[in-house]
């Protein structure tokens, strides 16, 4: 029973881990390259840091990790030297410092700088977090003034000691507050016992899964699902049979009690397993988190599974005599059949399974009809206890030499054929009516029986039209997308075999094909939209690519210009470890990161880390249109990208010359990292200037 596994490639989730570590007021942080000794340039900054300082991300990127752009007249020189020393020695630093925002507004900040190591133990990044403590410091200063008035102005030495003590108390309080709020997340500071903290590592790692989480695609889960399917069919067969044919016969009921209890236990265990079984989210990612799994199950199939698993057979243990009532309560277990519809795509991977399920459903329908056919004959016989011998049950009794006879006006009828003979005759009649018009040896005699026979024949005609007459069409409809998938997969494997591609390249091709298929389900949006008129197609593409078209560099563009740009915009997908661009390549498009994270590399060093909302490309020149990239761009996680073709961009700018000059200026403000060859010279010059300022 093949199952869609989801996206399972190892990912570098460092950026997501750091982002989720901070919440609320603790979302102000930057990441800096620790391998560039001159200036330690910033490679990533959070939105919270930009809001706190007033600087945009483009203004902050590639500046020094020491944040000298935040220094001012009141910034302590001793703390500045301590920061530089901590960066040079790659060690942790924490202290209070006075910074200035872009608007020259002074604020107190708790600065915490922590080195980040890779899997080799080398420090590759610095994580600097910023906590605005201006309000806390103001309260501390007010308390110092009150204490000064109380003690008098003569004790200047005690005032200085009191201020230092108060400052240390504030730092200790905030540090403890950070520890208490982040106990369940990544701890970057030393804990209360003095043990070294568990620092997050910048590396590619497999998704972490608890040993108590079941994989939805595992062999054990596949076998368990087949077992639950058989138990569901058992319930669908036995519950109607017991309600109609067994009734209040306690002896016959107790003979199936053991198997019924076993099925109940299976259903209860299945509920427990579902609370610990991974699933594939709408984005294609495999979810291993226990809390998300529980929420997903509680909001989907938990109620139906719980009702179907209620242990009604325990009533027998309490000597309950209302056997028929227990059987009627068990009919709620038929809701479990709804789970079969949910898993039809899983069971329908092969034609033989599809045909088996169709035949099983047809036989199950005939079984239910047989139970109803018997109830009709029994109710009519009980309602007419005198001189009643025209029902189908009486006719069957006469043919089998086991006639029914009346034993009293109040006691109804007795004797007659065995339950087994009656059930076989009922099933024979319903199957012959569903598949043909019957043979007459078991026929409808009364009005109620004839009405039911008419309904059965109508249902049989419908079954012929929907199932037997259209088996080929049903299979083709169910397999249309999967057939295309398998055809493409076979072509890909044949291509790999014919050209003798190496195993590593083969694995990358298959991984990319499978993951992109899981995202777009094999639908080529360009091929799908090509027959639509340009007006409608541009509106659709504007909606699909609205994230990149809402950037500030397009704010001054006219609607016609945006519609033209949208036609040259397409979506792309990148798997972990794949290179989007290589150093020295001709840049063909401008890329916008919709989800995931990427890194910019040069000579093995991380120059920038790109996340959701970042724009990567180069400053555009209307004269020099050939752009060579100055670094590599590599995906850390599964990334969704939107890209505007440079060729199409230049065509649109030529059509709208009044906007082109404004765009050339605005794009430099929106670029998170500029890939144009030669731009690294400006970065090095800026870092050198920063280093000279530090020495001064």
């Amino acid at each position: 029973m093949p199952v869609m596994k989801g996206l399972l490639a190892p990912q570098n989730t460092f950026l997501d881990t750091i982002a989720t570590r901070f919440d609320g007021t603790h979302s102000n942080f930057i990441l800096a390259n620790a391998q560039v000794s001159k200036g330690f340039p910033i490679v990533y900054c959070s939105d919270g840091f930009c809001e706190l300082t007033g600087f945009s991300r483009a203004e902050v990127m590639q500046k020094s990790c020491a944040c000298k752009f935040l220094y001012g007249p009141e910034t302590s020189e001793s703390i500045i030297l301590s920061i530089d020393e901590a960066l040079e020695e790659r060690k942790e630093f924490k202290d209070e410092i006075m910074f200035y925002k872009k608007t020259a507004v002074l604020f107190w900040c708790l600065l915490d700088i922590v080195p980040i190591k890779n899997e080799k133990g080398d420090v590759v990044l610095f994580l600097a977090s910023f906590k605005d403590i201006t309000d806390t410091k103001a309260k501390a200063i007010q308390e110092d003034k009150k204490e000064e008035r109380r003690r008098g102005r003569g004790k200047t030495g005690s005032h200085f000691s009191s201020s230092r003590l108060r400052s240390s108390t504030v730092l200790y309080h905030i540090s403890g507050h950070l520890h208490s709020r982040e106990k369940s997340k990544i701890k970057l500071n030393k804990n209360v016992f003095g043990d070294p903290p568990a620092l997050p590592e910048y590396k590619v790692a497999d998704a972490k899964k608890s040993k108590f989480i079941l994989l939805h695609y595992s062999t054990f889960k596949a076998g368990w699902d087949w077992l639950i399917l058989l138990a569901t069919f058992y319930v669908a067969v036995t519950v109607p049979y017991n309600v109609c044919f067994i009734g209040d016969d306690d002896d016959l009921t107790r003979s199936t009690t053991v198997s019924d209890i076993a099925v109940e236990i299976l259903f209860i265990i299945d509920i427990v397993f579902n609370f610990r079984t991974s699933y594939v989210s709408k984005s294609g990612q495999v979810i291993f988190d226990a809390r998300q799994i529980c929420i997903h199950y509680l909001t989907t199939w938990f109620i139906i599974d719980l009702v179907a698993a209620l242990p009604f057979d325990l009533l027998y243990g309490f000597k309950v005599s209302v056997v028929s009532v227990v059987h009627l309560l068990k009919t709620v277990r038929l809701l479990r059949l709804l789970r079969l519809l949910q898993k039809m795509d899983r069971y329908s991977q092969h034609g033989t399974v599809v045909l088996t399920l169709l035949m099983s459903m047809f036989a199950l329908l005939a079984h239910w009809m047989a139970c109803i056919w018997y109830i009709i004959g029994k109710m009519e016989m009980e309602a007419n206890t005198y001189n009643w011998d025209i029902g189908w049950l009486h006719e069957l009794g006469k043919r089998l030499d086991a006639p029914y006879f009346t034993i009293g006006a109040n006691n109804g009828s007795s004797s007659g054929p065995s339950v087994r003979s009656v059930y076989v005759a009922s099933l024979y009649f319903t199957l012959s009516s569903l598949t043909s018009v019957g043979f007459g040896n078991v026929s409808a005699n009364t009005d109620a029986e004839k009405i039911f026979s008419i309904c059965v024949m109508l249902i049989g005609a419908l079954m012929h039209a929907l199932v037997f007459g259209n088996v080929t069409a049903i299979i083709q409809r169910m397999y249309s997308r999967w057939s295309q998938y398998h055809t493409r997969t076979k072509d890909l494997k044949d291509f790999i075999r014919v050209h003798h591609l190496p195993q590593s390249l083969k694995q990358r091709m298959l991984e990319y094909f499978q993951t992109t298929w899981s995202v777009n389900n094999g639908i080529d949006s360009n091929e799908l939209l090509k027959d639509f008129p340009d007006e409608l197609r541009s509106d659709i593409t504007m909606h699909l690519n609205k994230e990149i078209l809402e950037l500030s560099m397009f704010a001054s563009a006219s609607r016609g210009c945006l519609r033209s740009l949208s036609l040259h915009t397409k979506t792309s997908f990148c798997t972990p470890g794949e290179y989007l661009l290589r150093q020295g390549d001709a840049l063909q498009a401008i890329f916008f990161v919709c989800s995931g994270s990427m890194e910019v590399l040069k000579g093995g060093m991380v120059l920038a880390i790109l996340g959701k909302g970042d724009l990567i490309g180069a400053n555009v020149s209307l004269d020099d249109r050939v752009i060579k990239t100055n670094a590599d761009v590599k995906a850390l996680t599964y990334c969704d990208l939107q890209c505007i073709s440079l060729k199409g961009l230049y065509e649109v700018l030529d059509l709208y010359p009044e906007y082109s000059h404004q765009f050339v200026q605005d794009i430099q403000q929106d670029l998170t990292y500029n890939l144009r060859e030669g731009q690294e010279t400006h970065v090095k010059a800026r870092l050198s200037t920063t280093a000279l300022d530090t020495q001064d």
Side-chain angles (χ1 to χ4, degrees):
M1 183 165 41
V3 184
M4 181 66 72
K5 290 186 177 182
L7 307 181
L8 294 168
Q11 307 184 54
N12 189 327
T13 57
F14 173 81
L15 187 60
D16 295 334
T17 303
I18 294 299
T20 54
R21 171 188 182 269
F22 298 98
D23 62 336
T25 57
H26 303 95
S27 60
N28 315 321
F29 68 95
I30 60 173
L31 294 173
N33 190 339
Q35 296 177 306
V36 179
S37 57
K38 293 183 179 180
F40 304 105
I42 297 172
V43 298
Y44 182 84
C45 69
S46 68
D47 294 335
F49 178 82
C50 296
E51 294 175 3
L52 175 65
T53 61
F55 290 90
S56 66
R57 181 175 292 180
E59 293 173 320
V60 174
M61 295 290 287
Q62 298 301 318
K63 289 191 176 181
S64 173
C65 176
C67 296
K68 299 183 183 299
F69 55 92
L70 299 179
Y71 293 172
E74 299 294 330
T75 305
S76 172
E77 293 292 337
S78 61
I79 297 180
I80 292 176
L81 294 176
S82 299
I83 293 175
D84 294 337
E85 180 182 356
L87 293 176
E88 290 294 336
E89 297 180 2
R90 272 76 171 175
K91 65 181 182 180
E92 185 177 355
F93 171 84
K94 177 186 284 188
D95 205 344
E96 298 175 359
I97 186 172
M98 297 179 69
F99 280 146
Y100 288 82
K101 299 183 180 181
K102 186 177 182 180
T103 56
V105 176
L106 173 68
F107 70 98
W108 276 95
C109 179
L110 175 62
L111 176 62
D112 187 4
I113 301 177
V114 179
I116 304 298
K117 298 181 180 180
N118 59 10
E119 63 271 19
K120 298 179 180 179
D122 300 328
V123 177
V124 293
L125 294 173
F126 286 115
L127 170 63
S129 61
F130 300 79
K131 168 69 175 176
D132 189 353
I133 58 172
T134 305
D135 295 338
T136 307
K137 290 290 293 185
K139 293 179 181 178
I141 293 173
Q142 291 178 1
E143 292 179 5
D144 285 340
K145 290 181 179 179
K146 292 179 181 178
E147 186 176 355
E148 180 184 357
R149 295 192 191 100
R150 185 170 61 252
R151 295 186 177 184
R153 302 180 59 88
K155 301 178 180 180
T156 56
S158 64
H159 167 69
F160 178 73
S161 301
S162 175
S163 298
R164 290 190 60 185
L165 178 61
R166 180 68 61 186
S167 178
S168 300
T169 304
V170 171
L171 177 59
Y172 176 80
H173 171 72
I174 294 177
S175 301
H177 181 63
L178 286 173
H179 271 293
S180 63
R181 292 194 59 172
E182 297 165 4
K183 180 176 282 187
S184 62
K185 299 180 182 179
I186 298 175
K187 298 180 180 178
L188 299 182
N189 305 320
K190 291 184 178 181
N191 56 29
V192 294
F193 298 104
D195 296 329
L199 299 179
E201 294 183 347
Y202 187 76
K203 65 180 182 179
V204 176
D206 292 317
K208 294 183 178 179
K209 180 187 74 71
S210 170
K211 62 181 179 180
F212 299 107
I213 297 295
L214 292 175
L215 297 176
H216 64 282
Y217 55 85
S218 63
T219 305
F220 171 78
K221 191 61 173 63
W224 178 261
D225 286 343
W226 277 111
L227 181 61
I228 293 298
L229 177 63
L230 295 177
T232 303
F233 272 107
Y234 170 82
V235 169
V237 172
T238 57
V239 169
Y241 179 83
N242 290 335
V243 170
C244 298
F245 287 91
I246 302 302
D248 293 330
D249 193 337
D250 189 68
D251 294 333
L252 294 175
T253 301
R254 297 303 174 91
S255 63
T256 61
T257 302
V258 176
S259 57
D260 291 343
I261 293 177
V263 169
E264 290 173 357
I265 293 174
L266 285 177
F267 286 166
I268 293 173
I269 296 175
D270 184 58
I271 292 177
V272 177
F273 283 171
N274 285 328
F275 274 113
R276 309 297 296 178
T277 302
S278 63
Y279 70 96
V280 180
S281 65
K282 294 181 179 179
S283 62
Q285 299 283 347
V286 180
I287 304 300
F288 298 106
D289 182 65
R291 182 174 178 272
Q292 295 186 45
I293 292 173
C294 291
I295 294 175
H296 177 262
Y297 182 51
L298 286 173
T299 55
T300 51
W301 292 99
F302 172 71
I303 300 299
I304 291 178
D305 290 349
L306 179 63
V307 173
L310 291 177
F312 298 112
D313 289 293
L314 293 181
L315 295 176
Y316 296 128
F318 296 100
K319 307 299 182 183
V320 177
S321 59
V322 283
V323 179
S324 60
V325 175
V326 176
H327 289 318
L328 289 174
L329 291 175
K330 287 183 181 180
T331 56
V332 299
R333 292 183 180 173
L334 298 180
L335 293 173
R336 190 82 189 188
L337 290 173
L338 296 176
R339 292 280 272 170
L340 181 62
L341 300 178
Q342 182 246 347
K343 295 183 179 180
M344 275 299 293
D345 58 338
R346 180 180 304 180
Y347 298 131
S348 61
Q349 303 301 316
H350 303 284
T352 55
V353 177
V354 175
L355 292 177
T356 302
L357 289 176
L358 289 175
M359 293 301 299
S360 299
M361 294 302 297
F362 185 79
L364 188 60
L365 178 63
H367 169 73
W368 291 349
M369 292 295 180
C371 296
I372 299 175
W373 175 246
Y374 171 73
I375 285 295
I376 291 175
K378 182 179 179 181
M379 291 180 64
E380 287 201 334
M381 188 169 57
E382 291 176 350
N384 302 275
T385 55
Y386 296 102
N387 300 323
W388 182 263
D389 58 354
I390 63 173
W392 78 271
L393 284 175
H394 280 282
E395 293 294 331
L396 178 65
K398 293 177 182 179
R399 291 176 180 272
L400 298 178
D401 292 329
Y404 290 91
F405 58 89
T406 303
I407 61 176
N410 296 325
N411 295 329
S413 300
S414 181
S415 187
S418 63
V419 173
R420 175 185 175 185
S421 299
V422 173
Y423 172 72
V424 171
S426 300
L427 185 62
Y428 168 78
F429 169 76
T430 54
L431 278 174
S432 61
S433 298
L434 286 171
T435 56
S436 59
V437 294
F439 297 101
N441 47 358
V442 179
S443 59
N445 299 321
T446 65
D447 292 341
E449 293 171 358
K450 291 176 181 178
I451 293 174
F452 178 75
S453 300
I454 293 172
C455 295
V456 171
M457 286 185 280
L458 290 175
I459 294 174
L462 181 63
M463 293 294 291
H464 272 283
L466 295 180
V467 181
F468 293 102
N470 297 284
V471 169
T472 304
I474 291 174
I475 294 178
Q476 288 179 347
R477 185 164 58 250
M478 294 174 62
Y479 276 86
S480 59
R481 189 68 62 187
W482 279 102
S483 176
Q484 182 182 357
Y485 172 80
H486 289 304
T487 301
R488 295 280 299 277
T489 304
K490 185 178 182 301
D491 292 342
L492 183 60
K493 291 181 178 179
D494 290 342
F495 174 84
I496 293 172
R497 187 183 66 256
V498 169
H499 294 279
H500 305 288
L501 297 183
Q503 181 65 27
S504 58
L505 194 57
K506 169 186 174 182
Q507 188 64 30
R508 289 171 58 191
M509 293 177 65
L510 292 175
E511 171 73 11
Y512 181 83
F513 171 73
Q514 291 173 358
T515 50
T516 51
W517 186 279
S518 66
V519 172
N520 55 32
N521 204 22
I523 300 174
D524 186 355
S525 57
N526 295 326
E527 183 70 20
L528 185 66
L529 298 177
K530 71 176 185 179
D531 294 330
F532 286 86
D534 291 342
E535 178 75 13
L536 178 58
R537 187 155 54 94
S538 60
D539 288 340
I540 297 173
T541 53
M542 281 188 66
H543 174 75
L544 296 177
N545 306 304
K546 60 183 179 181
E547 292 181 340
I548 189 172
L549 295 178
E550 289 176 354
L551 293 175
S552 58
M553 63 182 181
F554 298 120
S556 59
S558 64
R559 181 169 178 81
C561 179
L562 292 176
R563 291 160 70 91
S564 300
L565 283 172
S566 68
L567 296 176
H568 296 285
T569 305
K570 65 178 183 178
T571 58
S572 181
F573 186 79
C574 218
T575 57
E578 289 292 331
Y579 282 86
L580 180 66
L581 295 168
R582 293 278 190 174
Q583 182 179 357
D585 290 347
L587 188 65
Q588 302 293 334
I590 297 174
F591 300 92
F592 178 78
V593 183
C594 299
S595 65
S597 56
M598 314 184 81
E599 62 180 355
V600 181
L601 301 170
K602 186 172 185 180
M605 292 191 305
V606 179
L607 300 181
I609 300 177
L610 309 174
K612 180 180 180 181
D614 285 333
L615 184 70
I616 182 170
N619 55 313
V620 177
S621 173
L622 298 179
D623 300 325
D624 183 12
R625 300 193 175 188
V626 178
I627 302 174
K628 294 294 185 67
T629 57
N630 58 23
D632 300 331
V633 181
K634 180 182 177 182
L636 298 176
T637 64
Y638 291 100
C639 298
D640 289 317
L641 306 170
Q642 290 181 350
C643 52
I644 300 179
S645 167
L646 283 181
K647 180 181 179 181
L649 176 63
Y650 284 124
E651 291 178 0
V652 174
L653 293 180
D654 291 339
L655 292 175
Y656 296 89
E658 68 281 0
Y659 168 68
S660 59
H661 297 288
Q662 184 65 35
F663 175 81
V664 171
Q665 298 176 3
D666 292 343
I667 190 174
Q668 300 184 28
Q669 305 298 324
D670 280 344
L671 279 175
T672 306
Y673 191 87
N674 195 336
L675 288 172
R676 180 182 283 273
E677 196 172 42
Q679 286 297 121
E680 67 273 10
T681 305
H682 301 292
V683 175
K684 291 180 180 178
R686 183 164 52 185
L687 293 177
S688 300
T689 304
T690 304
L692 292 174
D693 294 340
T694 304
Q695 295 176 359
D696 295 339

